[in-house]
């Protein structure tokens, strides 16, 4: 088979771009180097839908952030993804930062961002009583929100697959050959042929670009986070930023769509595979977050993690353009913050660019934009849940006590596109193992379910693919 388009990278941008392509009569494939989608930057980030006041006016970031944020609520509804328009506050602590807040307001107005206002420290504390007494002013943005980034990615890829897109995991692209009418894209075992290629490889987009003759330099920046138990999720309702610096948007304090509280990230240049957390990094996260609110209860932290984001040395802006050296290759380079917020608009823009460069875009009359998540059960009423349990008793068997996840939801996660084949894949789809015990009770049963559904021995079940086996043999 020769595909019309191969999308390299199964993150949120790659997933949404593939979904956008399935709106047309095209044969599309996603090539993902890991065992599952949403395992890179889309797995671990701040989960913020930025209002759009931060990017420099006139940039692609400014344009696509504003458009993407405006699209997010409708997209989340179609894909059955949790999204909340909770708004944000950028807080200042002195006169110099007060002026910076005013500059952000002016930039936001220039970018066409709705719902912006500069408020006093007292007004900010009326909105958020837990805020520090030392806050002098704040930029309020009512259009900002929060979303689950891996949930959005999985749903986007799943909807693309339901509309005919293929997904090939464990496909690390190592070579690309221009055969004239199409490209041969290979890993060490298999070759895929495609007329057009979209490079959406995140941290490794420079490596993929080099295969097509383009030169970019991507640097990894690590951000360390701390996640609090759901008991702390109501400390603030808005996303609380501090005035940004050259290193980034700084340490934030925010609720999550699942009811937890999140603080972070730090910003440190690191190796592309360094996802470690450090005592020094977490101490910085704690100390800086305490400037925004002294009410943080660090005894309620249930986990810490690090996420990596890409920074392109050639440009501070998104680079979305056809390759300089290879026709029919679209480069998506340096998609850092606000990449998640911009992702729906990036997908539309990417397909538009492909169309302007020869890709035939005939509408797919059978395209279905809707998807029902395996987590849909939790939002049903008691009566509706009882009806589901009558039809399928597996939904009446509680597996994850911390997050109240049932066997039925886990089975649906394993069976639904894109199918979960590892413990972490089930975790990302259902939240099983994300509670205060961090999988201490539910892991054995989920391992058994995965083995049974995939028709493999339990010793073959992995945490995240590869050689990450959970079990190595039987003791009895």
């Amino acid at each position: 088979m020769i595909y019309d388009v191969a999308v390299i990278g199964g993150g949120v941008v790659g997933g949404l771009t593939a979904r956008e392509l399935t709106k047309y009569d095209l044969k599309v494939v996603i090539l993902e180097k890991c065992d599952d989608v949403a395992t890179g930057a889309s797995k671990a980030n701040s989960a913020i839908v930025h209002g759009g006041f931060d990017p420099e006016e006139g940039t692609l970031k400014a344009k696509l952030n504003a458009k993407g944020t405006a699209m997010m609520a409708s997209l989340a509804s179609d894909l059955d993804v949790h999204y909340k328009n909770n708004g944000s506050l950028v807080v200042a602590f002195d006169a110099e930062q007060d002026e910076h807040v005013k500059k952000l307001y002016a930039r936001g107005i220039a970018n066409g961002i709705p719902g912006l206002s500069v408020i006093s420290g007292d007004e900010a504390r009326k909105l958020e009583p837990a805020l520090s007494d030392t806050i002098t002013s704040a930029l309020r943005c009512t259009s900002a929100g929060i979303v689950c980034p891996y949930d959005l990615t999985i749903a986007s890829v799943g909807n693309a697959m339901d509309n005919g897109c293929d997904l090939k995991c464990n496909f690390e692209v190592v070579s690309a050959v221009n055969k004239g009418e199409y490209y041969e894209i290979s890993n060490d075992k298999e070759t895929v042929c495609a007329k057009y290629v979209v490079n959406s490889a995140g941290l490794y987009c420079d490596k993929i670009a080099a295969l097509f003759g383009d030169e970019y330099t991507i640097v990894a920046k690590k951000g360390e986070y701390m996640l609090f138990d759901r008991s702390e999720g109501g400390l603030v309702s808005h996303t609380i930023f501090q005035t940004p610096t050259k290193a980034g948007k700084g340490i934030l304090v925010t609720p999550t769509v699942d009811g937890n509280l999140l603080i972070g990230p730090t910003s440190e240049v690191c190796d592309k595979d360094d996802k470690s957390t450090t005592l020094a990094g977490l101490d910085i996260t704690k100390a800086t977050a305490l400037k925004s609110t002294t009410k943080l209860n660090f005894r309620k932290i249930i986990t810490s993690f690090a996420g990596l984001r890409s920074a392109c040395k050639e440009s501070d802006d998104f680079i979305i353009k056809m390759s300089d050296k290879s026709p029919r290759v679209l480069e998506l380079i340096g998609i850092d913050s606000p990449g998640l917020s911009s992702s729906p608009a990036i997908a539309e823009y990417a397909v538009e660019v492909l169309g302007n460069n020869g890709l035939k875009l005939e509408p797919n009359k059978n395209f279905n934009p809707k998807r029902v998540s395996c987590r849909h059960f939790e939002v049903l009423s008691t009566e509706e849940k009882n009806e589901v349990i009558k039809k399928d008793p597996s939904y009446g068997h509680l597996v994850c006590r911390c997050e109240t996840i049932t066997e039925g939801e886990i089975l649906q996660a394993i069976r639904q596109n894109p199918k979960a084949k590892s413990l972490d894949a089930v975790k990302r789809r259902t939240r099983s193992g994300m509670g205060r015990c961090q999988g201490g009770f539910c892991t054995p049963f989920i391992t058994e379910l995965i083995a049974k559904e995939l028709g493999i021995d339990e010793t073959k079940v992995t945490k995240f693919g590869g050689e990450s086996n959970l079990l190595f043999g039987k003791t009895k």
Side-chain angles (χ1 to χ4, degrees), residues 240-274:
I240 312 299
F241 297 98
Q242 297 175 8
T243 49
T245 66
K246 291 181 179 180
K249 297 178 178 68
I251 303 295
L252 57 83
V253 180
T254 185
T256 73
V257 288
D258 294 298
N260 299 87
L261 185 74
L262 180 71
I263 63 173
T266 54
S267 181
E268 176 189 3
V269 175
C270 66
D271 294 335
K272 290 185 179 181
D273 58 355
D274 179 10

Side-chain angles (χ1 to χ4, degrees), residues 54-74:
D54 190 63
E56 293 284 350
E57 50 264 49
T59 61
L60 262 183
K61 282 186 176 181
K63 172 186 174 182
L64 297 177
N65 186 169
K67 185 177 181 182
T69 295
M71 297 169 68
M72 194 63 74
S74 175

Side-chain angles (χ1 to χ4, degrees), residues 122-199:
D122 287 339
E123 289 173 315
R125 281 181 285 275
K126 285 182 181 179
L127 291 172
E128 295 287 357
L131 287 182
S132 168
D133 291 338
T134 59
I135 291 171
T136 54
S137 69
L139 173 64
R140 185 184 185 191
C141 178
T142 60
S143 60
I146 48 178
V147 71
C148 178
Y150 45 85
D151 198 11
L152 179 61
T153 305
I154 291 164
S156 301
V157 173
N159 186 237
M161 294 175 71
D162 292 342
N163 282 291
C165 177
D166 288 339
L167 170 66
K168 293 182 180 292
C169 289
N170 297 306
F171 196 110
E172 182 175 3
V173 176
V174 296
S175 69
V177 179
N178 186 352
K179 304 298 284 187
E181 294 295 317
Y182 59 89
Y183 294 94
E184 285 186 347
I185 308 160
S186 303
N187 62 6
D188 57 356
K189 296 179 181 178
E190 183 181 1
T191 296
V192 167
C193 299
K195 298 174 185 176
Y196 285 79
V197 177
V198 177
N199 175 11

Side-chain angles (χ1 to χ4, degrees), residues 375-393:
R375 293 177 58 196
H376 186 74
F377 182 77
E378 67 178 285
V379 300
L380 300 179
S381 67
T382 301
E383 292 76 14
E384 290 170 328
K385 287 179 178 178
N386 285 333
E387 286 300 313
V388 171
I389 293 169
K390 284 181 183 178
K391 296 176 182 177
D392 185 347

